[in-house]
């Protein structure tokens, strides 16, 4: 058993001195690779288009961390909506956990941008320029002759261009596509610091896709590290059917016209196609491993071999440990039910919050350090600052503050046509005056309506201070 588990002590992409072993995966081909190509085309279009598409004037997706402005599916979120953003993040995490418990690293193989770019963009360019695994290995070993210089420089140049493009799109997510286009039109020298950031992002993407590659999934990605706690023997993962592959006498090379079953040999013909095709350099026949990103390349490779030797496909397939050991069918476990309930509750909370979320956020706060002022005819006055955030793209004009809970007056310092432009914030100062006859306590909560013309756009509350005794 000890020897069998030895592979878990090392990673396939480093030798015993810790030196990187470069992976030259064979070009996959087969049913799943074709499906993954289509999925990747759709995701790449979404990824590149999302910061440039607008809905009601709002960028479809934007994560402007510096200015704390976020757009998700065209809905703008302000710092005041941070709780919504947090709930969305938690929903995302629970959703991924639920999926991982049920279907292993399906996200990594099919949807993760790292895999999509690595396997469906950069790797395919590599195959196109340098050829398949064998040719790439030969090129690596050969001296720097004209062919190697030509192929490598073309590859690195294209890698740089694509990294530069990705960095631009990344910036469009971070600072908004309008501003990015504006900066491009103005020229890089007019926005030098942004241009330097762009080059740094380009360098990072180039480093990741030209050199670091599968190490992101193997050692850097925290989600990959989580697999150990999330997966159980009921999770459906890309798995080798060791029962069928090994049988009594284990795997053995293929011999024509041999009855393998009668000889007690397993269906695995030890062709190593599944190993050669693996982008993380592992042997799936050793069992589920943290390095496996569930890319399905080994399923395709093995199916092709099984077809060639006239054995049933599916020796490597999507299956759970329980399914392979006991031929048990997929079941919804209590753990899955638990995660589903949590996900359902969080989603309901989010929908509820989105439903009651108003277009305008208003905050009226007493000016710090100021008490009240007693004016003539027993009028008490408090001074406030107000902040109005317009979360829509339309302007709100003729803003008026009306006291809803008490009889009294609200007098903004700026008296006429207070305007809150779309997606902007307006601040100012106002006074509230109330007759002592309308006050019962030293401190009272006031309810204030904010109107645009005659339309009530938000209500808010604030505290009003008066004298201890009203006489
Ligand atoms: S073991 Fe198979 S599914 Fe896992 S990473 Fe390697 S090729 Fe992909
Ligand atoms: S591709 Fe299939 S048959 Fe070939 S070594 Fe892998 S598991 Fe065995």
């Amino acid at each position: 058993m000890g020897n069998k588990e030895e592979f878990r002590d090392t990673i396939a992409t480093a030798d015993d001195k810790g030196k990187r072993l470069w992976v030259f995966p064979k070009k996959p081909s087969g049913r799943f690779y074709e499906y993954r190509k289509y999925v990747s085309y759709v995701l790449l279009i979404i990824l590149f288009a999302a910061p440039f598409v607008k809905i009601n004037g709002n960028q479809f997706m934007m994560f402007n961390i510096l200015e704390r402005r976020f757009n998700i599916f065209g809905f703008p979120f302000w710092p005041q909506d941070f709780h919504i953003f947090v709930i969305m993040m938690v929903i995302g995490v629970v959703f991924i956990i639920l999926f991982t418990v049920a279907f292993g690293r399906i996200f990594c193989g099919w949807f993760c941008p790292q895999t999509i770019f690595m396997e469906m963009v950069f790797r395919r360019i590599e195959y196109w320029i340098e050829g398949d695994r064998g040719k790439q290995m030969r090129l690596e070993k050969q001296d720097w002759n004209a062919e190697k210089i030509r192929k490598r420089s073309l590859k690195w140049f294209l890698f740089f261009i694509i990294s530069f493009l990705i960095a631009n799109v990344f910036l469009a997510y971070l600072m908004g596509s309008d501003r990015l286009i504006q900066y491009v039109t103005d020229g890089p020298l007019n926005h030098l610091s942004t241009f330097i950031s762009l080059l740094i992002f380009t360098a990072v993407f180039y480093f990741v896709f030209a050199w670091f590659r599968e190490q992101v999934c193997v050692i850097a990605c925290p989600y990959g590290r989580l697999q150990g706690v999330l997966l159980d023997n009921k999770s459906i993962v890309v798995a080798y059917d060791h029962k069928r592959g090994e049988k009594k006498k284990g795997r053995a090379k293929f011999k024509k016209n041999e009855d393998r079953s009668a000889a007690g040999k397993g269906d695995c013909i030890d062709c190593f196609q599944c190993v050669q095709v693996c982008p993380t350099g592992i042997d799936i026949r050793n069992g589920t491993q943290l390095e496996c990103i569930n890319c399905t390349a080994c399923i395709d490779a093995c199916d092709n071999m099984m077809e060639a030797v006239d054995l049933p496909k599916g020796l490597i397939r999507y299956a759970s440990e329980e399914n392979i050991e006991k031929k048990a069918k997929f079941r919804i476990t209590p753990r899955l039910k638990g995660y589903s309930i949590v996900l359902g509750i969080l989603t309901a909370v989010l929908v509820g919050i989105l439903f009651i979320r108003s277009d305008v956020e208003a905050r009226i706060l007493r000016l710090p350090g100021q008490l009240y002022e007693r004016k003539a005819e027993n009028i008490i006055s408090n001074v406030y600052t107000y902040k109005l955030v317009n979360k829509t793209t339309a302007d709100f004009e003729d803003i008026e503050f009306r006291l809803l809970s008490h009889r009294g007056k609200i007098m903004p310092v700026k008296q006429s046509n207070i305007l809150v432009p779309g997606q902007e914030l307006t601040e100012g100062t106002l006074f509230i005056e109330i007759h002592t006859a309308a006050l019962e306590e030293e401190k009272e909560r006031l309810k204030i309506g904010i109107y645009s013309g005659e339309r009530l756009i938000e209500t808010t509350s604030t505290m009003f201070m008066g004298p201890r005794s009203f006489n």
Side-chain angles (χ1 to χ4, degrees), residues 240-241 245-246 251-253 260 267-277 283-285 298-306 309 311 315-316:
Y240 167 67
D241 187 342
E246 308 290 317
R251 57 189 84 145
K253 295 282 178 211
R260 292 178 74 89
D267 278 359
C268 173
I269 58 168
D270 214 13
C271 63
F272 277 89
Q273 290 300 302
C274 52
V275 183
Q276 291 180 2
V277 87
D283 187 342
I284 188 72
R285 294 172 302 169
C298 55
I299 300 185
D300 280 335
C302 191
D303 278 353
N304 291 341
M305 289 318 294
M306 292 292 105
V309 298
L311 285 168
L315 180 56
I316 302 177

Side-chain angles (χ1 to χ4, degrees), residues 238 274 277-280 282 284 291-299:
V238 173
C274 52
V277 87
C278 179
T280 61
I282 58 169
I284 188 72
E291 295 93 320
C292 176
I293 53 167
N294 277 226
C295 73
T296 68
C298 55
I299 300 185

Side-chain angles (χ1 to χ4, degrees), residues 121-410:
V121 179
F122 289 88
R123 190 89 74 193
R124 287 176 73 186
I125 291 174
E126 201 162 67
Y127 290 134
W128 174 59
I129 296 172
E130 296 186 350
D132 209 343
R133 172 182 159 88
K135 286 187 178 160
Q136 285 184 21
M137 290 166 95
R138 269 197 299 283
L139 190 74
E140 175 66 17
K141 280 197 195 120
Q142 80 188 39
D143 292 335
W144 279 94
N145 57 12
E147 184 203 7
K148 186 163 175 174
I149 293 171
R150 180 173 50 80
K151 286 186 172 170
R152 283 284 158 92
S153 26
L154 177 61
K155 179 176 91 169
W156 290 335
F157 172 70
L158 288 180
F159 278 12
F160 175 80
I161 297 290
I162 295 168
S163 302
F164 184 72
L165 266 178
I166 299 173
N168 271 280
V169 175
F170 188 61
L171 265 189
Y173 276 102
L174 284 188
M175 61 188 234
S177 53
D178 286 345
R179 200 186 295 177
L180 178 79
I181 292 166
Q182 181 64 49
Y183 284 14
V184 172
T185 326
D186 291 351
L189 291 181
N190 290 318
H191 303 280
L192 206 55
S193 58
T194 309
F195 187 62
I196 291 170
S197 311
L198 180 69
L199 292 182
I200 292 171
F201 288 140
T202 305
V204 170
F205 288 125
Y206 184 86
F207 167 77
V208 166
F209 294 115
W211 192 79
F212 203 51
R213 301 190 154 196
E214 76 289 339
Q215 299 299 313
V216 173
C217 318
V218 173
I219 57 176
C221 175
Y223 176 60
R225 307 283 87 207
L226 268 178
Q227 304 307 306
V229 282
L230 293 179
L231 296 184
D232 59 23
N233 62 356
K234 293 178 186 69
S235 308
I236 294 181
V237 291
V238 173
Y240 167 67
D241 187 342
H242 58 93
K243 288 254 172 188
R244 187 188 138 195
E246 308 290 317
K247 296 216 175 113
K248 264 195 193 137
K249 293 212 173 138
R251 57 189 84 145
K253 295 282 178 211
F254 176 70
K255 279 192 199 145
K256 222 174 172 189
N257 300 327
E258 182 192 27
D259 185 347
R260 292 178 74 89
S261 274
K265 293 176 181 172
D267 278 359
C268 173
I269 58 168
D270 214 13
C271 63
F272 277 89
Q273 290 300 302
C274 52
V275 183
Q276 291 180 2
V277 87
C278 179
T280 61
I282 58 169
D283 187 342
I284 188 72
R285 294 172 302 169
N286 286 331
T288 304
Q289 292 150 76
L290 283 186
E291 295 93 320
C292 176
I293 53 167
N294 277 226
C295 73
T296 68
C298 55
I299 300 185
D300 280 335
C302 191
D303 278 353
N304 291 341
M305 289 318 294
M306 292 292 105
E307 205 169 18
V309 298
D310 211 14
L311 285 168
K313 289 181 186 177
L315 180 56
I316 302 177
R317 62 178 185 273
Y318 277 118
S320 67
E321 184 61 33
E322 206 178 64
N323 173 254
I324 288 171
E325 285 286 346
K326 305 178 194 159
K327 300 249 175 294
K329 288 233 162 71
F330 176 71
R331 276 189 303 120
I332 297 177
T333 61
R335 189 149 80 124
L336 274 179
K337 279 183 199 156
Y339 283 127
S340 306
I341 290 169
V342 173
L343 188 65
I345 293 171
L346 284 170
T347 311
V349 169
L350 179 71
V351 171
I353 290 177
L354 285 178
F355 200 66
I356 57 170
R357 175 179 178 254
S358 59
D359 289 344
V360 173
E361 179 100 20
R363 193 154 294 174
I364 301 177
L365 294 173
R366 291 187 67 253
L367 206 61
Q370 295 283 320
L371 279 173
Y372 60 90
E373 188 187 343
R374 188 189 279 266
K375 299 180 114 179
E377 293 169 13
N378 281 342
I379 299 285
I380 306 294
S381 170
N382 280 201
V383 60
Y384 297 82
T385 56
Y386 67 84
K387 248 186 208 175
L388 301 174
V389 177
N390 183 351
K391 297 174 186 171
T392 71
T393 47
D395 298 347
F396 285 112
E397 292 176 336
D398 290 327
I399 296 291
E400 203 185 313
F401 300 88
R402 293 184 198 165
L403 212 42
L404 303 178
S405 56
H406 293 68
R407 276 201 305 128
K409 275 198 293 188
I410 300 183

